[in-house]
Amino acid sequence: MLRGEFQGETRMHDFYYDRKGDLCCEKVPLKKILKKTGTPTYIYSSRTISEHLAKIQKAFRSVRPLICYSVKANSNLAVLKTLVKNGAGLDIVSGGELFRARKVQCPGRKIVYAGVGKTDEEIREAIRARILLFNVESLPELERIHQIAKAMRKQVNVSLRVNPNVDPHTHAYITTGRAETKFGIDFDRARSIYLESKKLTHATLCGLHVHIGSQIETGEPFVEAFRKILEFVDDLELAGIKIKFLNLGGGLGVIYSDENPQTADEFAKKILPLFKKRKYQIIFEPGRFIVANAGVLAAKVLYVKETAVKKFLITDAGMNDLIRPAFYNAYHGIWPIRKQEHVARWVYDVVGPICESGDFFAKDRELPEMRSGDFLTVMTSGAYGFTMSSNYNSRRRACEVLVKGASFRVVRQRETYQDLVRGEKI
Ligand code: LLP
């Protein structure tokens, strides 16, 4: 598998590859899709999505985990449906994500609900949907959920999200398992909440949740965190608290450039021995691992602008479509959709049309020469791409396409100008 830039290899990136100079997704040349949809467009490979889910299912089959795909990574209904059809549950963080989960008929017993700031209305909706577990992040939240469940005369299951104070060695913005972050509850506080919880008449604290961060490339931080939580769970059990669900979160890293992240099998080999002879229902919440490499953002080069110090490729996609480079200084490969033999290579900044200097996809990147009207893709954009997009600069959000074998479908239409002003009044 080639990482990073387009260099002409035949097989490049899961189901993205070069066929006689044309970049294809599964069996469809991207230029064929773009002819129909225009740009900017997100393109997803259905097969990559289901195979990545299967990789985790297989690697952990001995413990029969519930894989709750993390909806925030890519919440397109067709993507969710692909996963739910293949047995996944969903990890949600808002009423909106619950709405999507219901739209794709994900059974409530396969939905887990995390997040530090659930509103009363969201809690009510989740109780009505009979979700499997609330992943609770503070005592006031637990009290609120209990109060609401009691008023509704319903019983809810709860996992406390613990904060194990482990450094996942990833970007600060996506580190969640360290003590100074807003996530989870420290062990001492969690312990007293579990002990006190026996008094709760409408909430059962039967689970424990941990998620230490995202884009984690090695097993060590996970092992460190899981060792700590197992010790903690043992201690709880001695105190008479029964834990049924262990939700181990998401966080598996993927290849954007020259990373060498663990595979699902390697991850399982490191993790499974910790859980031997333990009878918990294990839950995972992968997001990026499943969808990142399944998606690209396709854009058109509008202009090639030269200044005294730079060459810019100005594209019709911008940071409103994909904010990861601007927000995390994240690396994404850039590949032309049509590869030409024997062209010069230049060092470009690939930028969008938005009025901010942070509006870039790549800086000082060596690429084959490109001209106005050429198409390129920003690779590995299937996770936290469209879901983090916005209407900044009153730009319409991109359309999304799902490819399956030799066919493709627009699974979200490009927004219209009317969409932009919906609900506004003068
Ligand atoms: N579970 C919880 C509780 C989470 O907060 C997250 C991600 C996941 C699971 C899924 O994590 P994953 O397997 O995708 O690493 N926007 C950032 C990533 C933010 C991750 C937020 N939480 C980015 O573009 O890198």
Side-chain angles (χ1 to χ4, degrees):
M1 193 195 303
L2 176 79
R3 290 131 196 206
E5 285 139 66
F6 180 95
Q7 280 159 8
E9 272 81 342
T10 36
R11 184 170 163 76
M12 301 197 301
H13 222 291
D14 288 301
F15 295 99
Y16 291 89
Y17 61 96
D18 167 24
R19 191 171 68 197
K20 294 187 187 147
D22 281 324
L23 180 58
C24 296
C25 173
E26 300 196 17
K27 292 187 180 150
V28 186
L30 264 54
K31 68 176 183 203
K32 186 172 164 193
I33 299 174
L34 300 184
K35 214 171 182 183
K36 180 163 174 208
T37 62
T39 45
T41 292
Y42 273 99
I43 297 167
Y44 310 125
S45 151
S46 168
R47 185 155 171 206
T48 309
I49 294 169
S50 40
E51 286 205 1
H52 286 185
L53 171 66
K55 277 184 187 170
I56 305 185
Q57 286 168 330
K58 253 204 214 137
F60 285 93
R61 67 180 170 258
S62 62
V63 294
R64 300 169 59 88
L66 174 61
I67 313 286
C68 290
Y69 162 72
S70 193
V71 174
K72 65 177 85 61
N74 185 325
S75 57
N76 183 283
L77 293 180
V79 170
L80 299 183
K81 191 70 190 177
T82 304
L83 290 162
V84 168
K85 249 183 9 208
N86 284 297
L90 298 174
D91 154 45
I92 60 164
V93 289
S94 69
E97 288 190 351
L98 176 60
F99 177 74
R100 287 178 181 276
R102 291 170 71 76
K103 280 254 175 224
V104 296
Q105 283 145 355
C106 180
R109 64 186 156 77
K110 287 188 171 182
I111 298 176
V112 293
Y113 186 0
V116 296
K118 304 173 184 80
T119 66
D120 290 4
E121 193 191 347
E122 288 174 321
I123 293 167
R124 257 181 239 116
E125 284 162 6
I127 294 176
R128 263 184 237 117
R130 298 183 190 190
I131 63 163
L132 179 64
L133 285 161
F134 282 93
N135 295 330
V136 165
E137 309 233 11
S138 66
L139 180 58
E141 183 197 332
L142 175 61
E143 287 167 348
R144 182 63 60 86
I145 291 173
H146 181 252
Q147 204 178 38
I148 294 174
K150 193 169 174 183
M152 292 170 74
R153 298 207 182 93
K154 294 275 197 275
Q155 192 69 32
V156 294
N157 285 335
V158 168
S159 285
L160 287 193
R161 175 172 181 179
V162 293
N163 182 322
N165 195 19
V166 164
D167 186 350
H169 304 293
T170 184
H171 193 288
Y173 287 8
I174 52 178
T175 291
T176 51
R178 300 206 46 181
E180 61 270 27
T181 68
K182 67 181 174 181
F183 298 99
I185 305 170
D186 64 76
F187 285 122
D188 286 345
R189 277 192 179 75
R191 186 169 197 277
S192 49
I193 298 173
Y194 277 109
L195 295 178
E196 288 285 304
S197 72
K198 289 182 180 161
K199 292 189 204 135
L200 300 176
T201 48
H202 291 73
T204 313
L205 268 67
C206 54
L208 187 134
H209 176 222
V210 65
H211 171 78
I212 56 175
S214 196
Q215 184 57 14
I216 304 170
E217 291 174 38
T218 68
E220 284 72 33
F222 291 107
V223 170
E224 190 186 341
F226 298 165
R227 281 221 170 96
K228 283 186 169 184
I229 63 157
L230 284 171
E231 215 172 279
F232 177 69
V233 170
D234 286 344
D235 184 45
L236 285 182
E237 295 200 331
L238 285 178
I241 305 289
K242 285 243 166 331
I243 295 294
K244 188 168 165 205
F245 301 98
L246 271 191
N247 182 338
L248 303 176
L252 287 175
V254 304
I255 299 168
Y256 287 94
S257 145
D258 54 3
E259 299 91 341
N260 190 16
Q262 61 205 324
T263 62
D265 280 335
E266 286 162 358
F267 181 58
K269 253 189 214 136
K270 280 234 163 84
I271 301 309
L272 282 173
L274 300 177
F275 295 92
K276 240 186 196 156
K277 296 200 190 127
R278 291 176 179 264
K279 293 212 173 68
Y280 306 114
Q281 167 66 65
I282 295 204
I283 301 171
F284 286 111
E285 302 171 328
R288 190 189 314 264
F289 182 86
I290 291 180
V291 287
N293 283 316
V296 301
L297 171 62
K300 184 162 81 178
V301 176
L302 297 175
Y303 305 105
V304 182
K305 172 172 174 172
E306 289 190 40
T307 69
V309 289
K310 290 265 184 193
K311 266 187 199 296
F312 293 99
L313 294 179
I314 301 174
T315 71
D316 62 356
M319 67 190 279
N320 74 298
D321 298 300
L322 176 70
I323 204 172
R324 300 193 72 260
F327 205 31
Y328 313 108
N329 205 15
Y331 178 100
H332 285 261
I334 307 282
W335 292 346
I337 279 175
R338 173 89 199 140
K339 190 189 86 178
Q340 281 153 337
E341 298 294 337
H342 314 300
V343 290
R345 291 177 74 86
W346 296 103
V347 174
Y348 293 109
D349 277 14
V350 183
V351 303
I354 286 180
C355 306
E356 303 235 8
S357 295
D359 180 25
F360 67 91
F361 295 126
K363 286 206 163 159
D364 298 322
R365 193 70 63 82
E366 191 190 310
L367 294 168
E369 177 166 39
M370 298 199 72
R371 304 216 168 90
S372 161
D374 287 347
F375 293 105
L376 56 77
T377 52
V378 186
M379 300 303 290
T380 325
S381 302
Y384 308 107
F386 187 92
T387 49
M388 293 180 81
S389 68
S390 75
N391 293 119
Y392 186 41
N393 278 204
S394 279
R395 286 166 50 79
R396 297 166 296 163
R397 276 180 300 172
C399 81
E400 295 176 285
V401 167
L402 185 68
V403 176
K404 196 169 181 188
S407 63
F408 69 93
R409 250 176 347 115
V410 173
V411 290
R412 190 183 209 271
Q413 287 179 348
R414 185 178 312 290
E415 286 179 341
T416 63
Y417 289 137
Q418 278 311 317
D419 291 333
L420 284 183
V421 295
R422 192 150 78 95
E424 290 185 32
K425 286 200 177 75
I426 294 170

